[in-house]
Coordinates of all heavy atoms in Angstrom, one line a residue:
M23 N 0.8 -1.2 0.0 CA 0.0 0.0 0.0 C 0.9 1.2 0.0 O 1.4 1.6 1.0 CB -0.9 0.0 1.2 CG -1.9 -1.1 1.2 SD -2.9 -1.1 2.7 CE -3.8 0.4 2.5
A24 N 1.1 1.8 -1.2 CA 1.9 3.0 -1.3 C 1.0 4.2 -1.2 O -0.1 4.3 -1.7 CB 2.6 3.0 -2.6
Q25 N 1.5 5.2 -0.4 CA 0.8 6.4 -0.2 C 1.3 7.4 -1.3 O 2.5 7.6 -1.4 CB 0.9 7.0 1.2 CG 0.3 6.2 2.2 CD 0.5 6.8 3.6 OE1 1.3 7.6 3.8 NE2 -0.3 6.3 4.6
H26 N 0.4 8.0 -2.0 CA 0.7 8.9 -3.0 C 0.4 10.3 -2.6 O -0.7 10.5 -2.0 CB 0.0 8.6 -4.4 CG 0.4 7.3 -4.9 ND1 1.7 7.1 -5.5 CD2 -0.2 6.1 -5.0 CE1 1.8 5.9 -5.9 NE2 0.6 5.2 -5.6
E27 N 1.3 11.2 -2.7 CA 1.1 12.6 -2.4 C 0.3 13.3 -3.5 O 0.6 13.2 -4.6 CB 2.4 13.3 -2.1 CG 2.3 14.6 -1.4 CD 3.7 15.2 -1.0 OE1 4.5 14.4 -0.5 OE2 3.9 16.3 -1.3
A28 N -0.7 14.1 -3.1 CA -1.5 14.8 -4.1 C -0.6 15.9 -4.7 O 0.2 16.6 -4.0 CB -2.7 15.4 -3.4
P29 N -0.8 16.2 -6.0 CA 0.0 17.3 -6.6 C -0.4 18.6 -6.0 O -1.6 18.9 -5.8 CB -0.3 17.1 -8.1 CG -1.6 16.4 -8.1 CD -1.6 15.5 -6.9
R30 N 0.6 19.5 -5.7 CA 0.3 20.8 -5.2 C 0.0 21.7 -6.3 O 0.6 21.7 -7.4 CB 1.5 21.3 -4.4 CG 1.8 20.5 -3.2 CD 2.9 21.1 -2.5 NE 3.2 20.3 -1.3 CZ 4.2 20.6 -0.4 NH1 4.9 21.6 -0.6 NH2 4.4 19.8 0.6
P31 N -1.1 22.6 -6.1 CA -1.4 23.5 -7.2 C -0.3 24.6 -7.3 O 0.3 24.9 -6.3 CB -2.8 24.1 -6.8 CG -2.8 23.9 -5.3 CD -2.0 22.6 -5.0
D32 N -0.2 25.1 -8.5 CA 0.8 26.2 -8.7 C 0.2 27.5 -8.0 O -1.0 27.7 -7.9 CB 1.0 26.6 -10.2 CG 1.7 25.4 -10.9 OD1 2.4 24.7 -10.2 OD2 1.5 25.3 -12.1
M33 N 1.1 28.3 -7.4 CA 0.7 29.5 -6.7 C 0.4 30.5 -7.7 O 1.1 30.8 -8.7 CB 1.9 30.0 -5.8 CG 2.2 29.1 -4.6 SD 3.5 29.8 -3.6 CE 2.5 30.8 -2.6
T34 N -0.8 31.2 -7.5 CA -1.2 32.3 -8.3 C -0.4 33.5 -7.8 O 0.2 33.5 -6.7 CB -2.7 32.5 -8.2 OG1 -3.0 32.8 -6.9 CG2 -3.4 31.3 -8.7
C35 N -0.6 34.6 -8.5 CA 0.1 35.8 -8.1 C -0.4 36.3 -6.8 O 0.4 36.8 -5.9 CB -0.1 36.9 -9.2 SG 0.8 38.4 -9.0
G36 N -1.7 36.3 -6.5 CA -2.3 36.7 -5.3 C -1.8 35.9 -4.1 O -1.5 36.5 -3.0
S37 N -1.8 34.6 -4.2 CA -1.4 33.7 -3.1 C 0.1 33.9 -2.8 O 0.5 33.8 -1.7 CB -1.8 32.3 -3.4 OG -1.1 31.8 -4.5
Q38 N 0.8 34.1 -3.9 CA 2.3 34.3 -3.7 C 2.5 35.6 -3.0 O 3.4 35.7 -2.1 CB 3.0 34.3 -5.0 CG 4.5 34.3 -4.9 CD 5.2 34.2 -6.2 OE1 4.6 34.3 -7.3 NE2 6.5 34.1 -6.2
A39 N 1.8 36.7 -3.3 CA 1.9 38.0 -2.6 C 1.5 37.8 -1.1 O 2.2 38.4 -0.2 CB 1.1 39.0 -3.3
R40 N 0.5 37.0 -0.8 CA 0.1 36.8 0.5 C 1.1 36.0 1.3 O 1.4 36.3 2.5 CB -1.3 36.0 0.6 CG -2.5 36.9 0.4 CD -3.7 36.2 0.9 NE -3.9 34.9 0.2 CZ -4.6 34.8 -1.0 NH1 -5.1 35.9 -1.6 NH2 -4.8 33.6 -1.5
A41 N 1.8 35.1 0.7 CA 2.8 34.3 1.3 C 4.0 35.2 1.6 O 4.6 35.1 2.7 CB 3.2 33.1 0.5
Q42 N 4.4 36.0 0.7 CA 5.5 36.9 1.0 C 5.1 38.0 2.0 O 6.0 38.3 2.9 CB 5.9 37.7 -0.3 CG 6.6 36.8 -1.3 CD 6.8 37.5 -2.7 OE1 6.3 38.6 -2.9 NE2 7.6 36.8 -3.5
G43 N 3.9 38.4 2.1 CA 3.4 39.3 3.1 C 3.5 38.7 4.5 O 3.9 39.4 5.5
S44 N 3.1 37.4 4.6 CA 3.1 36.8 5.9 C 4.6 36.6 6.3 O 4.9 36.7 7.5 CB 2.4 35.5 5.8 OG 3.0 34.6 4.9
E45 N 5.5 36.3 5.4 CA 6.9 36.2 5.8 C 7.5 37.6 6.2 O 8.2 37.6 7.2 CB 7.7 35.7 4.6 CG 7.5 34.3 4.2 CD 8.2 33.9 2.9 OE1 9.0 34.7 2.4 OE2 8.0 32.8 2.5
A46 N 7.1 38.7 5.6 CA 7.5 40.0 6.0 C 7.0 40.3 7.4 O 7.6 40.9 8.2 CB 7.1 41.0 5.0
T47 N 5.7 39.9 7.6 CA 5.1 40.2 8.9 C 5.8 39.4 10.0 O 6.1 39.9 11.1 CB 3.6 39.8 8.9 OG1 3.0 40.6 7.8 CG2 2.9 40.1 10.2
A48 N 6.2 38.2 9.7 CA 6.9 37.3 10.7 C 8.3 37.9 11.0 O 8.7 37.9 12.1 CB 7.0 35.9 10.1
M49 N 8.9 38.5 9.9 CA 10.2 39.1 10.2 C 10.1 40.4 11.0 O 11.0 40.7 11.8 CB 10.9 39.4 8.8 CG 11.3 38.1 8.1 SD 12.5 37.2 8.9 CE 14.0 38.2 8.7
A50 N 9.0 41.1 10.8 CA 8.9 42.4 11.5 C 8.4 42.2 13.0 O 8.4 43.2 13.7 CB 7.9 43.3 10.7
M51 N 7.9 41.1 13.3 CA 7.3 40.9 14.7 C 8.5 40.9 15.7 O 9.5 40.3 15.4 CB 6.6 39.5 14.8 CG 5.3 39.5 14.1 SD 4.5 37.9 14.1 CE 4.3 37.7 15.9
P52 N 8.3 41.6 16.8 CA 9.4 41.7 17.8 C 9.6 40.4 18.5 O 8.7 39.7 18.7 CB 8.9 42.8 18.7 CG 7.4 42.7 18.6 CD 7.1 42.4 17.2
M53 N 10.9 40.2 18.8 CA 11.2 39.0 19.5 C 10.8 39.2 21.0 O 10.9 40.3 21.5 CB 12.7 38.7 19.4 CG 13.2 38.4 18.0 SD 12.5 36.9 17.3 CE 13.3 35.7 18.3
P54 N 10.4 38.2 21.7 CA 10.1 38.3 23.1 C 11.3 38.7 23.9 O 12.4 38.1 23.7 CB 9.5 37.0 23.5 CG 10.0 36.0 22.5 CD 10.2 36.8 21.2
A55 N 11.2 39.8 24.7 CA 12.3 40.3 25.4 C 12.6 39.4 26.7 O 11.6 38.8 27.2 CB 12.1 41.7 25.9
P56 N 13.8 39.2 27.1 CA 14.1 38.5 28.3 C 13.4 39.2 29.5 O 13.2 40.4 29.5 CB 15.6 38.5 28.4 CG 16.1 39.0 27.1 CD 15.0 39.7 26.4
L57 N 13.2 38.4 30.5 CA 12.5 39.0 31.7 C 13.3 40.1 32.3 O 12.7 41.1 32.8 CB 12.2 37.9 32.7 CG 11.2 36.8 32.3 CD1 11.1 35.8 33.3 CD2 9.8 37.5 32.0
A58 N 14.6 40.0 32.4 CA 15.4 41.1 33.0 C 15.2 42.4 32.2 O 15.1 43.5 32.8 CB 16.8 40.7 33.1
L59 N 15.3 42.3 30.9 CA 15.1 43.5 30.0 C 13.7 44.1 30.2 O 13.6 45.3 30.3 CB 15.4 43.1 28.6 CG 15.3 44.3 27.6 CD1 16.3 45.4 27.9 CD2 15.5 43.8 26.2
R60 N 12.7 43.2 30.2 CA 11.4 43.7 30.3 C 11.2 44.4 31.7 O 10.5 45.5 31.8 CB 10.4 42.5 30.2 CG 8.9 42.9 30.2 CD 8.0 41.8 29.9 NE 8.3 41.3 28.5 CZ 7.9 40.2 28.1 NH1 7.2 39.4 28.8 NH2 8.1 39.8 26.8
A61 N 11.7 43.8 32.7 CA 11.6 44.5 34.1 C 12.3 45.8 34.1 O 11.8 46.8 34.7 CB 12.2 43.6 35.1
A62 N 13.5 45.9 33.4 CA 14.2 47.2 33.4 C 13.5 48.2 32.6 O 13.4 49.4 33.0 CB 15.6 47.0 32.8
M63 N 12.8 47.8 31.5 CA 12.0 48.8 30.7 C 10.8 49.3 31.6 O 10.5 50.4 31.5 CB 11.5 48.1 29.5 CG 12.6 47.9 28.4 SD 12.1 46.9 27.0 CE 10.7 47.7 26.5
L64 N 10.2 48.4 32.3 CA 9.0 48.8 33.1 C 9.5 49.7 34.3 O 8.8 50.7 34.6 CB 8.3 47.6 33.7 CG 7.6 46.7 32.7 CD1 7.0 45.5 33.4 CD2 6.4 47.5 32.1
D65 N 10.7 49.5 34.8 CA 11.2 50.3 35.9 C 11.5 51.7 35.3 O 11.2 52.7 35.9 CB 12.4 49.7 36.5 CG 12.1 48.5 37.4 OD1 10.9 48.4 37.8 OD2 13.0 47.8 37.7
A66 N 12.1 51.8 34.1 CA 12.4 53.0 33.5 C 11.1 53.8 33.2 O 11.1 55.0 33.3 CB 13.2 52.8 32.2
R67 N 10.1 53.1 32.7 CA 8.8 53.8 32.4 C 8.2 54.4 33.7 O 7.7 55.5 33.7 CB 7.9 52.8 31.8 CG 6.6 53.4 31.3 CD 5.6 52.4 30.9 NE 5.1 51.7 32.0 CZ 4.2 50.8 32.0 NH1 3.7 50.4 30.9 NH2 3.8 50.2 33.1
D68 N 8.2 53.6 34.8 CA 7.7 54.1 36.0 C 8.5 55.3 36.5 O 7.9 56.3 37.0 CB 7.7 53.0 37.1 CG 6.8 51.9 36.8 OD1 5.9 52.1 35.9 OD2 6.9 50.8 37.4
A69 N 9.8 55.3 36.4 CA 10.6 56.4 36.8 C 10.3 57.7 36.0 O 10.2 58.8 36.5 CB 12.1 56.1 36.7
L70 N 10.1 57.5 34.7 CA 9.8 58.7 33.8 C 8.4 59.2 34.1 O 8.2 60.4 34.1 CB 9.9 58.2 32.3 CG 11.3 58.0 31.8 CD1 11.3 57.5 30.4 CD2 12.1 59.3 31.8
M71 N 7.5 58.3 34.5 CA 6.1 58.8 34.8 C 6.2 59.6 36.1 O 5.5 60.6 36.2 CB 5.2 57.6 35.0 CG 4.8 57.0 33.6 SD 3.8 55.6 33.8 CE 2.4 56.2 34.6
I72 N 7.0 59.1 37.1 CA 7.1 59.9 38.4 C 7.7 61.2 38.2 O 7.2 62.2 38.7 CB 7.9 59.0 39.4 CG1 7.1 57.8 39.8 CG2 8.3 59.8 40.6 CD1 7.9 56.8 40.6
I73 N 8.8 61.3 37.3 CA 9.4 62.6 37.1 C 8.5 63.5 36.4 O 8.4 64.7 36.7 CB 10.7 62.3 36.3 CG1 11.8 61.6 37.1 CG2 11.3 63.6 35.7 CD1 13.0 61.1 36.3
S74 N 7.7 63.0 35.4 CA 6.8 63.9 34.7 C 5.7 64.4 35.6 O 5.3 65.6 35.5 CB 6.2 63.2 33.5 OG 5.4 62.1 33.9
Y75 N 5.2 63.5 36.5 CA 4.2 64.0 37.4 C 4.7 65.1 38.3 O 4.1 66.1 38.6 CB 3.6 62.8 38.2 CG 2.7 61.9 37.5 CD1 2.7 60.6 37.7 CD2 1.9 62.4 36.5 CE1 1.9 59.7 37.0 CE2 1.0 61.6 35.8 CZ 1.0 60.2 36.0 OH 0.2 59.4 35.3
Q76 N 5.9 64.9 38.8 CA 6.6 65.9 39.7 C 6.7 67.2 38.9 O 6.5 68.3 39.5 CB 7.9 65.4 40.2 CG 7.8 64.3 41.2 CD 9.2 63.8 41.7 OE1 10.2 64.2 41.1 NE2 9.2 63.1 42.7
L77 N 7.1 67.2 37.7 CA 7.3 68.4 36.9 C 5.9 69.1 36.7 O 5.8 70.3 36.8 CB 7.9 68.1 35.5 CG 9.4 67.8 35.6 CD1 9.9 67.4 34.2 CD2 10.2 69.0 36.1
I78 N 4.9 68.3 36.4 CA 3.5 68.9 36.2 C 3.1 69.6 37.5 O 2.6 70.7 37.5 CB 2.5 67.8 35.8 CG1 2.8 67.4 34.4 CG2 1.1 68.3 35.9 CD1 2.1 66.2 33.9
I79 N 3.3 68.9 38.7 CA 2.9 69.5 39.9 C 3.7 70.8 40.2 O 3.1 71.9 40.6 CB 3.1 68.5 41.1 CG1 2.1 67.4 41.0 CG2 3.0 69.2 42.4 CD1 2.3 66.3 41.9
R80 N 5.0 70.9 39.9 CA 5.8 72.1 40.1 C 5.3 73.2 39.2 O 5.2 74.4 39.6 CB 7.2 71.8 39.9 CG 7.8 71.0 41.0 CD 9.3 70.7 40.7 NE 9.8 69.8 41.8 CZ 11.0 69.3 41.8 NH1 11.9 69.6 40.8 NH2 11.4 68.5 42.7
V81 N 5.0 72.9 37.9 CA 4.5 73.9 37.0 C 3.2 74.5 37.5 O 3.0 75.7 37.4 CB 4.4 73.3 35.6 CG1 3.6 74.2 34.7 CG2 5.8 73.1 35.0
L82 N 2.3 73.6 37.9 CA 1.0 74.1 38.4 C 1.2 74.9 39.7 O 0.5 75.9 39.8 CB 0.1 72.9 38.7 CG -0.4 72.1 37.4 CD1 -1.2 70.9 37.8 CD2 -1.2 73.1 36.5
F83 N 2.1 74.5 40.5 CA 2.3 75.3 41.7 C 2.8 76.7 41.4 O 2.4 77.7 41.9 CB 3.3 74.6 42.6 CG 3.7 75.3 43.9 CD1 2.8 75.4 44.9 CD2 4.9 75.9 44.0 CE1 3.1 76.1 46.1 CE2 5.3 76.6 45.1 CZ 4.4 76.7 46.2
L84 N 3.8 76.8 40.5 CA 4.4 78.1 40.1 C 3.3 78.9 39.4 O 3.3 80.1 39.5 CB 5.6 77.9 39.2 CG 6.9 77.3 40.0 CD1 8.0 77.0 38.9 CD2 7.3 78.3 41.0
A85 N 2.5 78.3 38.5 CA 1.5 79.0 37.8 C 0.5 79.6 38.8 O 0.0 80.8 38.6 CB 0.8 78.1 36.8
R86 N 0.1 78.9 39.8 CA -0.8 79.4 40.8 C -0.1 80.6 41.6 O -0.8 81.6 42.0 CB -1.2 78.3 41.8 CG -2.4 78.7 42.7 CD -2.7 77.7 43.7 NE -1.6 77.7 44.8 CZ -1.6 77.0 45.8 NH1 -2.6 76.1 46.0 NH2 -0.7 77.1 46.7
R87 N 1.2 80.4 41.9 CA 1.9 81.4 42.7 C 2.0 82.7 41.9 O 2.0 83.8 42.4 CB 3.3 80.8 43.0 CG 3.9 81.4 44.2 CD 5.1 80.6 44.6 NE 6.0 81.5 45.3 CZ 7.3 81.4 45.4 NH1 7.8 80.3 44.8 NH2 8.1 82.2 46.0
W88 N 2.2 82.6 40.5 CA 2.4 83.8 39.7 C 1.0 84.2 39.1 O 1.0 85.1 38.2 CB 3.3 83.5 38.6 CG 4.7 83.2 39.1 CD1 5.3 83.7 40.2 CD2 5.7 82.5 38.4 NE1 6.6 83.3 40.3 CE2 6.9 82.5 39.2 CE3 5.8 81.8 37.2 CZ2 8.1 81.9 38.8 CZ3 7.0 81.2 36.8 CH2 8.1 81.2 37.6
N89 N -0.1 83.7 39.6 CA -1.4 84.1 39.2 C -1.6 83.9 37.7 O -2.2 84.8 37.0 CB -1.7 85.5 39.6 CG -1.8 85.6 41.1 OD1 -2.3 84.7 41.8 ND2 -1.3 86.7 41.6
Y90 N -1.2 82.8 37.1 CA -1.5 82.5 35.7 C -2.8 81.8 35.6 O -3.2 81.1 36.4 CB -0.4 81.7 35.1 CG 0.8 82.5 34.7 CD1 2.1 82.1 35.0 CD2 0.7 83.7 34.0 CE1 3.2 82.8 34.6 CE2 1.8 84.4 33.6 CZ 3.0 84.0 33.9 OH 4.1 84.7 33.5

């Protein structure tokens, strides 16, 4: 009992473009970052948010003080 493989249909222009698009999408997808890098990025984001909030509070305080 020999198993015969069905002949594959030739790729049309549209299906070939879709296949190339999926390869480009796969190449453009970001690689998962290691946990240490991800934690460092989250820490940096939190620090930048804290600094920005402090600056906003200082600007509002000065604006109230100078009657703006």
Side-chain angles (χ1 to χ4, degrees):
M23 295 179 63
Q25 292 180 346
H26 296 287
E27 195 173 311
R30 296 183 181 182
D32 292 334
M33 293 184 83
T34 61
C35 186
S37 62
Q38 188 175 7
R40 278 197 302 272
Q42 288 174 350
S44 63
E45 289 173 5
T47 304
M49 292 295 290
M51 289 176 61
M53 296 295 290
L57 291 177
L59 179 62
R60 187 172 295 165
M63 288 171 54
L64 290 175
D65 289 343
R67 186 189 68 178
D68 292 344
L70 288 174
M71 287 176 59
I72 291 170
I73 292 170
S74 64
Y75 288 145
Q76 288 178 348
L77 287 175
I78 289 170
I79 289 171
R80 288 179 185 177
V81 166
L82 291 175
F83 177 76
L84 290 175
R86 190 185 77 174
R87 206 168 151 204
W88 292 336
N89 293 324
Y90 280 133

